[in-house]
Amino acid sequence: NAHSGFSLDYLFEYAIQENSGENPVDYRANYRHLELSFGYRGASLVLGQEVLGADGAGMFVSPLGNLHDFQGWADQAVNSSLGNINGGIKDQYLGLAYACTELFSVSLNYHDYRSDQALAGNSDIGSEWGLVARSELNEYNILFKYADYSADNVGEDTKRLWLQLGLDF
């Protein structure tokens, strides 16, 4: 109902990647992304899961993907820019956002990272909290972003902070 202020959105993506040609690694890995988003009068809740699969020695790779946006802002799962790590990565996430005004918004998110294929019996990769605040004033915009990654078996404990100023013309 357009007058209630309530919205419901969804996302579903699926892809298969496999070796071809002279690739010495024989593999077939999949990618899937499911997301549900609920909104009500400027507030939103997002629940999702994104999986970059693995198959033995092979893994779903995305060398042209924006790793910062998809595998965490602390950039701990970059694996030489392949977009995946040995054993694959399963990102289960929750996000809360609120548009305080047309010119100011904040969001908080949590990611739990696990292996798609548990290596050595341990599937915990790590977890990350993120916070973003955005504001606009005339042609200027400002972004504050914070990430706090807690490593289990991949990367290292990392805290990162960004302050970005922009000008639209």
Side-chain angles (χ1 to χ4, degrees), residues 123-138:
S123 67
D124 292 334
I125 291 175
S127 61
E128 182 173 306
W129 284 96
L131 174 68
V132 175
R134 291 182 174 92
S135 184
E136 296 178 24
L137 181 60
N138 299 322

Side-chain angles (χ1 to χ4, degrees), residues 21-39:
E22 300 296 319
N23 190 338
V25 178
D26 181 23
Y27 80 99
R28 179 182 172 105
N30 64 31
Y31 166 84
R32 63 186 181 273
H33 189 184
L34 303 166
E35 183 177 279
L36 284 175
S37 176
F38 307 92

Side-chain angles (χ1 to χ4, degrees), residues 110-114 124-128 149-154:
Y110 175 77
H111 293 264
D112 180 50
Y113 303 110
R114 299 187 179 273
D124 292 334
I125 291 175
S127 61
E128 182 173 306
Y149 177 78
S150 297
D152 287 329
N153 291 303
V154 173

Side-chain angles (χ1 to χ4, degrees), residues 3-135:
H3 299 291
S4 71
F6 179 78
S7 66
L8 172 65
D9 291 310
Y10 63 91
L11 170 80
F12 174 73
E13 299 173 324
Y14 183 80
I16 297 173
Q17 190 178 76
E18 59 189 11
N19 65 297
S20 67
E22 300 296 319
N23 190 338
V25 178
D26 181 23
Y27 80 99
R28 179 182 172 105
N30 64 31
Y31 166 84
R32 63 186 181 273
H33 189 184
L34 303 166
E35 183 177 279
L36 284 175
S37 176
F38 307 92
Y40 183 72
R41 297 186 183 197
S44 65
L45 169 69
V46 176
L47 302 166
Q49 181 183 70
E50 182 181 43
V51 179
L52 282 82
D55 178 20
M59 66 182 91
F60 195 96
V61 295
S62 56
L64 301 177
N66 181 339
L67 303 175
H68 181 80
D69 281 344
F70 298 105
Q71 266 70 59
W73 299 335
D75 301 321
Q76 293 299 299
V78 294
N79 193 19
S80 302
S81 298
L82 293 176
N84 202 350
I85 57 174
N86 293 337
I89 188 167
K90 184 185 300 181
D91 174 9
Q92 297 175 335
Y93 58 91
L94 169 69
L96 299 170
Y98 185 66
C100 303
T101 69
E102 286 185 21
L103 303 176
F104 181 74
S105 64
V106 294
S107 63
L108 175 69
N109 59 55
Y110 175 77
H111 293 264
D112 180 50
Y113 303 110
R114 299 187 179 273
S115 282
D116 183 45
Q117 261 186 4
L119 302 175
N122 194 340
S123 67
D124 292 334
I125 291 175
S127 61
E128 182 173 306
W129 284 96
L131 174 68
V132 175
R134 291 182 174 92
S135 184

